[in-house]
Amino acid sequence: MLQQLSIVELAIYALVWALAGGIAGFYLYYSLNRNPRSGARGGVLVGVAIGILGALVGLLDSAESLINAMLILWTAVLVAAIVLPQAKIGVGSHDRTVTMRQRIADLAYGLLLPTFVIVMVIVIFPMLWNVVLAFRPIRLRDLPDLRLFSLEDFTLDNFNRVINSRGFVDTLVRTFVYTISGTVLAILLGLIAALVVKDKFPGRNLVRGFLLFPYIAPIISVVLIWKLLFNAQYGLMNELVDALGGRRIDYLSTPATAFTMVILFQAWRYFPFAFLFILARIQAIPDDLYEAAKVDGAAPSQRLLHITLPQLRAVFGTLFLLRFIWTFNKFDDVFLLTGGAANTQLITIEIYDQLFSARNVGAAAAVALILAAFLFVVVGVYFRWFLVEER
Amino acid sequence: MTTQTKNQTRGRTAAQESRLSREDVELRVGRILKWVFIIFFVISTAFPFYWMLNLSIRPIGDVLQNPTRLIPTGQQLANFWESYRAVLVDFHFATYIGNSLVVSLITVSLTLLLAIPGAYAVTRLDFRHKSLMSWGILLVYMFPAIVIGIPLFVIYSQLGIRGSLPGIIIVYMSGTLPVALYMLRSYFQTLPAELEEAALIDGCSRLSTIWRVVLPLSVPAVASVALYTFMIAWNEILFAILFLTETPTSWTLPLGLRQLDTQEVPRTYLMAGSVIITIPVIVLFFFFERFLTRGLTAGAVKG
């Protein structure tokens, strides 16, 4: 079938093909001759050839076959790049014109290539392409007959729609509150758990094992049990409250309590992660420090305050950063617990809602881009502050 | 004069006494606090799982009548298999278990196949952009899954592979590979390079050195990576929701369980499903706990 393609679209097709072919060609030549210069020459040659070919294919065929062809090409190159050098790697068959150092580097590239390709195709490319999607008016119903690389319908509508939608700012603020309080609580619980478990006592290993349960169990099953524990009809929490004369409510769907519950869940599920890190660091603090402090007359609380906690500062920094990033990105927990109802809507759930409730792919991509931008800024600020702190 | 010095010494001993007693008091309070917290932590982490087991055995009518029955009756215990049978047979959990096993085991094997040579390259071989590679691994690891979810959803729809298991295995691998590379790298760094050098001098090729020298030495690390990869793939639900919801034949266990969470399904069955999905993870964990806790901090496993 013949599609009408614009010049821009055609150029992008050609460029993508040339890039894909070029990298592939480079690897092929490189792995055959073990010489970057010959690899580059081969890459350019194959790249140009495949670029022209790709433009022609793009002119004649749909986007689907473009992707298919690219996958086939990459698989072929992957196989070739793994198999071909193997034939030469064995002892005694190496090319005398290349140095040992080069051959080792070749091998390293060869060994990392499959991982590199998967990460490129599944993480880096979608990440970049998400930016393009965010500026295009794409609905769910437009799939699967979509022109993947068109830039003609460039628009800011998605961002307008998203930012002006009701409650978007609230969602942003709530996401930050959720992330920071969840992170701090999880680290605090982890610290207490580590302090409590650090010294030997009967059953210590068992207790340590239990402490990791919330973290290793499948998210869906812990969510389901939380829902039942805090359920209005027969949840144990309500039996307790009832006995004390309180009112029965469903904690996860009442607006007054749901957000607190979601933060508590976050702390409960992820404190084991902080616990393990802090415990490992506490056990590495030299005993001399405590002995010296004891001789100087420092009480246990003073030893905790002036030795243990300062020694843990670096761990707190790392933990806060990691947990902040992961909590900020987290989708499943709150989505499964409340679905974003009862004042618990978060940015990640907004992405899902835009995709499946509003059926608006472009808007979903726009929210995702906003999320990534916020994350980038926050982590950047943190790193800057953190590095200054370290000096 | 003398009384003054006497008073001073008395004052000093009194101060010493009070300092000693502060130590004692704090130690005593600390010990009490410690046990209070241990009990608190054990109850709040282990009890929900016990309750899951409990609710999976008692019929919903009994749960409504006696919400606080901590130990099921003998008759309920004798009939415990009833709810599990219903879940496995009537709600197709057998299929989901099959899907989950296929997805997890293939993800584990492919991840190990790629990550072992990759981690070896990053630790032992010298090449340009090496540190860039390490940073790249770390970066990928931090990246929001939901953000790549949208473009992947579009691409997979376009290719028509959205509901397929191979499609989701590749996505899982993009998540497990960085973890595996990171954990294996930190382990390989602790191995002495001399052994490998000896093998190389004796005429082993690099690949057979990895196979014959590095792998046998790394059994604990490889085991913990395998288990973590398995857990990640087994527990994963975000991409399963995004990609597989429309094709019930490819549902994995977490997705199947989530679809079961509707008004019509008795909670007993829901809890039975939860137990089925949780047990393998907990059993694996207790068997390999020593490897796992070490691996967890070494690789900073994402969650």
Side-chain angles (χ1 to χ4, degrees):
Chain A
M1 64 174 189
L2 211 62
Q3 273 186 347
Q4 285 293 313
L5 285 171
S6 69
I7 298 294
V8 181
E9 216 169 343
L10 207 61
I12 291 175
Y13 269 49
L15 204 68
V16 170
W17 271 93
L19 262 175
I23 297 169
F26 175 79
Y27 260 109
L28 259 186
Y29 272 76
Y30 192 45
S31 58
L32 280 176
N33 293 345
R34 306 227 168 80
N35 183 344
R37 206 174 289 169
S38 115
R41 238 179 299 144
V44 170
L45 209 73
V46 176
V48 169
I50 290 186
I52 295 170
L53 204 74
L56 283 174
V57 172
L59 205 61
L60 293 173
D61 213 345
S62 65
E64 191 183 329
S65 62
L66 172 78
I67 298 272
N68 280 336
M70 250 165 68
L71 279 179
I72 293 169
L73 177 75
W74 270 100
T75 321
V77 168
L78 198 70
V79 171
I82 293 173
V83 171
L84 287 178
Q86 292 315 324
K88 288 189 169 188
I89 276 170
V91 193
S93 68
H94 49 80
D95 192 337
R96 282 180 195 203
T97 55
V98 263
T99 63
M100 187 72 182
R101 177 185 269 280
Q102 267 176 329
R103 290 201 305 121
I104 286 178
D106 284 349
L107 180 65
Y109 286 127
L111 293 179
L112 283 167
L113 185 69
T115 307
F116 184 74
V117 170
I118 289 182
V119 167
M120 273 300 179
V121 173
I122 302 292
V123 182
I124 309 292
F125 171 70
M127 194 168 100
L128 297 176
W129 194 43
N130 184 69
V131 179
V132 178
L133 283 179
F135 290 102
R136 294 181 59 191
I138 305 170
R139 297 301 186 127
L140 208 52
R141 61 163 184 272
D142 299 334
L143 305 177
D145 301 308
L146 179 75
R147 282 193 193 168
L148 290 183
F149 297 101
S150 166
L151 277 181
E152 289 214 314
D153 41 10
F154 179 90
T155 170
L156 285 172
D157 282 358
N158 294 329
F159 288 95
N160 277 332
R161 183 190 304 269
V162 165
I163 292 169
N164 294 328
S165 70
R166 214 156 48 89
F168 186 71
V169 178
D170 291 345
T171 303
L172 263 181
V173 173
R174 191 179 303 118
T175 306
F176 272 100
V177 173
Y178 163 76
T179 308
I180 292 172
S181 41
T183 302
V184 170
L185 263 182
I187 295 177
L188 193 69
L189 278 180
L191 172 68
I192 297 174
L195 288 174
V196 160
V197 174
K198 76 178 195 314
D199 298 315
K200 280 208 173 73
F201 59 85
R204 173 165 170 256
N205 281 341
L206 196 67
V207 170
R208 208 179 51 187
F210 281 146
L211 286 187
L212 299 177
F213 271 18
Y215 186 61
I216 58 166
I219 178 70
I220 181 72
S221 65
V222 292
V223 162
L224 289 177
I225 190 64
W226 266 61
K227 276 187 173 176
L228 290 197
L229 280 172
F230 295 101
N231 159 309
Q233 268 181 299
Y234 47 86
L236 275 193
M237 185 64 192
N238 273 308
E239 295 303 321
L240 206 69
V241 170
D242 213 23
L244 297 172
R247 206 163 47 88
R248 285 176 169 270
I249 50 167
D250 190 331
Y251 287 88
L252 282 160
S253 61
T254 311
T257 54
F259 188 56
T260 317
M261 289 303 295
V262 160
I263 291 172
L264 287 179
F265 179 85
Q266 177 70 25
W268 177 80
R269 181 157 163 86
Y270 297 103
F271 89 85
F273 180 82
F275 159 69
L276 281 179
F277 266 73
I278 296 172
L279 186 65
R281 185 67 192 83
I282 281 185
Q283 284 170 340
I285 299 176
D287 280 338
D288 316 4
L289 288 178
Y290 291 110
E291 293 300 326
K294 223 171 179 175
V295 170
D296 288 346
S301 64
Q302 289 168 315
R303 279 177 254 152
L304 173 70
L305 210 64
H306 298 293
I307 299 178
T308 315
L309 291 185
Q311 288 277 329
L312 291 176
R313 248 179 53 180
V315 183
F316 287 145
T318 316
L319 274 175
F320 187 81
L321 182 68
L322 286 176
R323 289 266 31 113
F324 185 93
I325 296 175
W326 288 335
T327 313
F328 197 75
N329 293 338
K330 201 72 192 167
F331 164 78
D332 356 4
D333 300 15
V334 180
F335 176 75
L336 294 172
L337 273 173
T338 67
N343 289 334
T344 56
Q345 180 73 332
L346 301 177
I347 255 200
T348 46
I349 303 176
E350 185 74 30
I351 299 177
Y352 180 89
D353 286 348
Q354 289 289 355
L355 186 62
F356 289 111
S357 305
R359 306 184 70 76
N360 191 335
V361 179
V367 183
L369 193 62
I370 294 172
L371 169 85
F374 266 103
L375 192 64
F376 190 75
V377 169
V378 169
V379 172
V381 165
Y382 182 88
F383 259 103
R384 210 182 148 73
W385 170 78
F386 188 69
L387 287 179
V388 169
E389 181 89 339
E390 282 288 281
R391 255 179 243 158
Chain B
M1 261 312 248
T2 44
T3 47
Q4 218 173 354
T5 42
K6 223 175 230 171
N7 277 345
Q8 269 179 357
T9 41
R10 192 175 297 153
R12 208 177 295 137
T13 47
Q16 259 169 3
E17 261 166 28
S18 79
R19 212 176 283 149
L20 274 176
S21 70
R22 178 175 175 183
E23 170 98 19
D24 279 349
V25 167
E26 284 196 359
L27 277 181
R28 214 158 289 166
V29 170
R31 202 166 303 138
I32 295 169
L33 270 182
K34 176 175 153 175
W35 282 101
V36 168
F37 273 118
I38 288 176
I39 291 166
F40 163 76
F41 275 118
V42 168
I43 289 178
S44 61
T45 53
F47 181 75
F49 293 91
Y50 169 71
W51 201 239
M52 185 190 286
L53 206 61
N54 177 310
L55 290 185
S56 78
I57 293 171
R58 295 158 58 207
I60 191 70
D62 182 56
V63 176
L64 286 171
Q65 271 181 353
N66 312 300
T68 51
R69 191 198 289 278
L70 281 181
I71 297 163
T73 62
Q75 201 203 348
Q76 286 165 353
L77 277 174
N79 291 334
F80 88 98
W81 184 241
E82 187 43 46
S83 53
Y84 289 87
R85 193 204 57 79
V87 166
L88 286 172
V89 179
D90 303 344
F91 291 98
H92 315 294
F93 259 53
T95 315
Y96 309 151
I97 292 178
N99 286 339
S100 264
L101 276 179
V102 167
V103 168
S104 318
L105 293 179
I106 294 183
T107 306
V108 170
S109 2
L110 287 180
T111 302
L112 285 181
L113 192 70
L114 297 185
I116 292 171
Y120 179 82
V122 178
T123 14
R124 285 289 192 265
L125 304 178
D126 206 25
F127 58 98
R128 267 198 291 174
H129 316 307
K130 188 171 167 175
S131 61
L132 192 76
M133 210 64 149
S134 306
W135 272 102
I137 294 169
L138 211 65
L139 201 74
V140 166
Y141 197 13
M142 300 283 144
F143 205 75
I146 185 93
V147 172
I148 61 170
I150 306 299
L152 279 177
F153 181 85
V154 175
I155 296 173
Y156 272 36
S157 309
Q158 206 80 359
L159 294 175
I161 58 170
R162 203 173 73 209
S164 74
L165 293 183
I168 206 140
I169 288 172
I170 296 184
V171 176
Y172 287 179
M173 281 178 66
S174 76
T176 54
L177 270 174
V179 184
L181 272 174
Y182 206 73
M183 285 172 74
L184 284 173
R185 191 186 70 152
S186 55
Y187 186 81
F188 286 169
Q189 278 166 347
T190 64
L191 293 180
E194 288 80 12
L195 286 171
E196 294 153 41
E197 280 157 18
L200 285 172
I201 288 166
D202 285 349
C204 262
S205 73
R206 285 278 177 179
L207 289 184
S208 70
T209 308
I210 297 179
W211 180 249
R212 288 182 196 175
V213 181
V214 178
L215 261 192
L217 287 173
S218 325
V219 172
V222 171
S224 79
V225 169
L227 281 164
Y228 269 115
T229 319
F230 180 84
M231 280 187 195
I232 292 173
W234 181 264
N235 294 354
E236 208 284 340
I237 194 168
L238 163 58
F239 285 109
I241 291 177
L242 280 182
F243 295 170
L244 302 179
T245 304
E246 284 166 22
T247 43
T249 47
S250 323
W251 284 357
T252 55
L253 214 37
L255 184 57
L257 193 53
R258 191 213 163 209
Q259 301 300 90
L260 211 62
D261 184 15
T262 56
Q263 289 299 327
E264 300 88 59
V265 180
R267 301 290 102 172
T268 311
Y269 294 168
L270 213 58
M271 288 296 104
S274 301
V275 171
I276 291 175
I277 189 174
T278 311
I279 282 212
V281 176
I282 301 240
V283 168
L284 280 177
F285 175 77
F286 264 107
F287 262 108
F288 297 96
E289 199 212 337
R290 199 165 307 160
F291 297 147
L292 285 178
T293 36
R294 188 153 18 110
L296 201 74
T297 39
V301 171
K302 184 176 184 173

